[in-house]
Amino acid sequence: MASHIVGYPRMGPKRELKFALESFWDKKSSAEDLKKVAADLRSSIWKQMSGAGIKYIPSNTFSYYDQVLDTTSMLGAVPPRYNWTGGEIGYDTYFSMARGNASVPAMEMTKWFDTNYHFIVPELGPDVKFSYASHKAVDEFKEAKALGVDTVPVLIGPVSYLLLSKPAKGVEKTFSLLSLLPKIIPIYKEVISELKAAGASWIQFDEPTLVLDLDSQQLQAFTAAYADLESTLSGLNVLIETYFADLTPEAYKTLIGLKGVTAYGLDLVRGTQTTDLVKKDFPKGKYLFAGVVDGRNIWANDLASSLSTLQALEAVVGKDKLVVSTSCSLLHTAVDLVNETKLDDEIKSWLAFAAQKVVEVNALAKALAGQKDEAFFSSNAAAQASRKSSPRVTNAAVQKAADTLKGSDHRRATNVSARLDAQQKKLNLPILPTTTIGSFPQTVELRRVRREFKANKISEDDYVKAIKEEIKKVVNLQEELDIDVLVHGEPERNDMVEYFGEQLSGFAFTVNGWVQSYGSRCVKPPIIYGDVSRPKAMTVFWSSTAQSMTKRPMKGMLTGPVTILNWSFVRNDQPRFETCYQIALAIKDEVEDLEKAGINVIQIDEAALREGLPLRKSEHAFYLKWAVHSFRITNCGVKDTTQIHTHMCYSNFNDIIHSIIDMDADVITIENSRSDEKLLSVFREGVKYGAGIGPGVYDIHSPRIPSTEEIADRINKMLAVLETNILWVNPDCGLKTRKYQEVKPALNNMVAAAKQLRTKLASAK
């Protein structure tokens, strides 16, 4: 029985690629240095999978930034502003598209389906001249072959690539991206032909958009694309991989009818109903790559249950046609549990990171072939039983408190307009008030202080003194810049979710459980293993300390319950909404303690609310109901004069704008600049928004410094669709990933633009 891995984490067990990328970007190392680190990581991954007995090992899943940008490079679809003149795309062009440069902004970045991973959105139009401009897929296949590892090269499928794209600036929004299919198929044919010539026997096309709600024209595009590719694919085994959700019956019918396709990869973890479609109708002689090992969470697989599922499928598709696989790429999990030296043994026994999931896949494949490792299965069963019965998982008081929430919608008693009036009397802010989103640059020195405190190398007094000095520096800088509502810069926090999880019960933490978010940015999601509560105040000391340093309003900075949920590895033994309600109650306690401590502006970030939206429209209403309710729970008890902010970043918000309004926050700051200000189109179409709103005026994920004129132009576009008295001026997101030499001039220009427009508006009265 064969085994397969959809994809594997790229950063390395100790984030080797992250550090190599940042060193290269900072011009501290050469392109050759970066290439060597990348080659060593790829070699290690391929050899690991080969050594574990995996038959179908992927290649071309490694990336310096993301796999969609790699496909844009392969197709030569470089926007004209990057002045690419043809030939093989090099690092300069590639990273300029991803990060921008001194003269031009980056391409838009958005979330990869409903994950916390991001991709660079292709910008396409009728005039794009496609050409075969990156041979990465072929080069990496050859590289693995030279190491003695036969791989399955992976490409983003042509239809998913187009469906994940957007019309370029200046192209009609109604332009049909799928009309470009005949222009990109010839490039795919060139790549396929080169892979065949290099000795490939299998090829994997990732077509994850098949799990979305697609119309008949979109489904027909898949049929047309693979019919066109059929003759080129002749002689190859072709796997179409889908993941993250069920297929609709129509999409499943389209998938199994594709010409020239040998195998179908299905997510049987999140796509629980897809199994029924397979049992009803599976084409004779085709392979099923059954994704039974969860690629998106870190819980050990229930091997007995998965084996039972596989045995039932084996009876349908045939013994020699069933391949055991992961549900999706392991990119979304941490790398290796072996590196976790501080997790206690009980919790550790419940987990499986990417390296352990590879072993699980192979163990299931061997068990199906009659070579079951009884000791391995027995150990797994014991761990499953331990988790179900462990007293540390359940807290009756927390469950009771969460159950009582379902009878109320937890709205504040006064409407937002009256609240804003009361807040303005207290805060006395100018029109177009300026603020930032929360974090300030995390310097090498600051990281050293936190690291040494965690390692008990400095005392708590020394740590508190150092953090207070950093807060004072950030407060002084904001006062110098004349920002209206300040933040303390979050110097005590490495990560906005990890920081809170460390102080809540029911959470566990890793040392090296890093997961890529985008480019070199990695996060270390906490593990929610049990019921959640707040033993003591988490942020009150630091927020009060910061407020004592200034007469200006200081924001208390919290992460909202939905974001904590969506950016954690969540327990899978109860519904997600129940866990979210528990977190909401914990944050509610913190909000009320901040208010008692004299903090008049409290930001409760819900950066990931949109990210958690299910991929199927039929499931949207239920998710949004409990997600929005969870946010309202956190602040339903505060006074009218306490201003509640929230923040959302990098996603498409237009389709949930009414749910955002229903959150009933006093002020929302929201990503806008990198997505061509498409958020503003909602207001142009007549949506009325009465609360304060700060669409981001510049992109913080690029090192580029915007001019005062550029920011003023953005604010003017906002003023065309939003009332002057509700508009705030702020960056897109937090500043922790930037350097002070970028942050200071950018914020200076932002404040100057706001002042310029205040003067203009005052003189127009």
Side-chain angles (χ1 to χ4, degrees), residues 37-113:
V37 170
D40 288 347
L41 284 170
R42 287 193 295 267
S43 170
S44 170
I45 291 165
W46 291 326
K47 287 177 179 176
Q48 177 193 348
M49 284 194 253
S50 178
I54 301 299
K55 180 175 181 181
Y56 300 111
I57 297 170
S59 61
N60 198 41
T61 58
F62 181 89
S63 178
Y64 286 116
Y65 215 88
D66 89 80
Q67 68 271 32
V68 180
L69 183 61
D70 292 348
T71 309
T72 294
S73 298
M74 181 184 87
L75 296 170
V78 181
R81 65 180 176 275
Y82 299 108
N83 296 319
W84 176 64
T85 55
E88 189 82 1
I89 287 175
Y91 286 153
D92 283 353
T93 301
Y94 181 87
F95 288 126
S96 290
M97 289 192 285
R99 307 176 72 238
N101 58 41
S103 55
V104 291
M107 295 166 70
E108 180 185 352
M109 180 169 71
T110 197
K111 295 289 174 76
W112 177 246
F113 294 82

Side-chain angles (χ1 to χ4, degrees), residues 182-331:
K183 293 186 176 182
I184 68 170
I185 289 293
I187 315 295
Y188 275 87
K189 287 180 177 178
E190 284 188 71
V191 179
I192 293 162
S193 297
E194 284 195 9
L195 286 167
K196 280 167 75 173
S201 56
W202 278 83
I203 187 168
Q204 175 180 319
F205 291 98
D206 280 8
E207 292 282 14
T209 56
L210 271 167
V211 305
L212 303 177
D213 293 310
L214 302 178
D215 60 33
S216 56
Q217 181 191 2
Q218 290 168 324
L219 289 172
Q220 175 56 34
F222 288 94
T223 304
Y226 288 92
D228 198 350
L229 289 171
E230 184 182 14
S231 59
T232 310
L233 290 168
S234 176
L236 278 173
N237 290 296
V238 179
L239 165 63
I240 305 294
E241 187 66 52
T242 69
Y243 36 78
F244 298 152
D246 278 306
L247 292 167
T248 63
E250 296 78 15
Y252 180 73
K253 187 177 178 184
T254 299
L255 174 66
I256 62 174
L258 295 178
K259 296 282 182 66
V261 173
T262 318
Y264 315 104
L266 303 176
D267 182 340
L268 302 182
V269 176
R270 290 187 169 230
T272 51
Q273 295 166 39
T274 301
T275 308
D276 295 333
L277 295 173
V278 172
K279 289 176 180 175
K280 281 180 192 170
D281 182 21
F282 192 80
K284 194 172 173 55
K286 303 290 187 180
Y287 288 84
L288 172 62
F289 281 57
V292 293
V293 172
D294 191 351
R296 286 190 53 177
N297 216 328
I298 43 64
W299 302 108
N301 188 270
D302 184 339
L303 295 177
S305 175
S306 292
L307 186 57
S308 175
T309 299
L310 290 164
Q311 286 166 338
L313 290 169
E314 188 180 58
V316 176
V317 306
K319 198 174 186 71
D320 61 335
K321 299 296 181 185
L322 184 64
V323 177
V324 182
S325 185
T326 53
S327 64
C328 62
S329 173
L330 297 176
L331 171 71

Side-chain angles (χ1 to χ4, degrees), residues 364-440:
L364 285 165
K366 287 174 76 175
L368 267 179
Q371 301 164 36
K372 185 177 179 185
D373 184 335
E374 294 292 352
F376 188 68
F377 270 71
S378 176
S379 172
N380 175 265
Q384 299 292 324
S386 155
R387 187 172 163 219
K388 283 175 185 170
S389 61
S390 175
R392 68 200 300 181
V393 170
T394 307
N395 182 324
V398 170
Q399 294 197 349
K400 185 178 178 183
D403 283 343
T404 63
L405 295 172
K406 294 163 191 173
S408 166
D409 63 2
H410 297 88
R411 290 183 187 276
R412 290 170 78 178
T414 313
N415 70 41
V416 69
S417 177
R419 297 197 311 261
L420 288 173
D421 286 344
Q423 291 155 15
Q424 179 57 16
K425 282 174 188 166
K426 187 162 193 171
L427 299 172
N428 193 29
L429 298 172
I431 60 166
L432 306 181
T434 54
T435 191
T436 64
I437 304 307
S439 60
F440 264 64

Side-chain angles (χ1 to χ4, degrees), residues 151-165:
T151 61
V152 178
V154 179
L155 301 175
I156 296 285
V159 183
S160 287
Y161 176 77
L162 293 176
L163 290 176
L164 292 168
S165 302

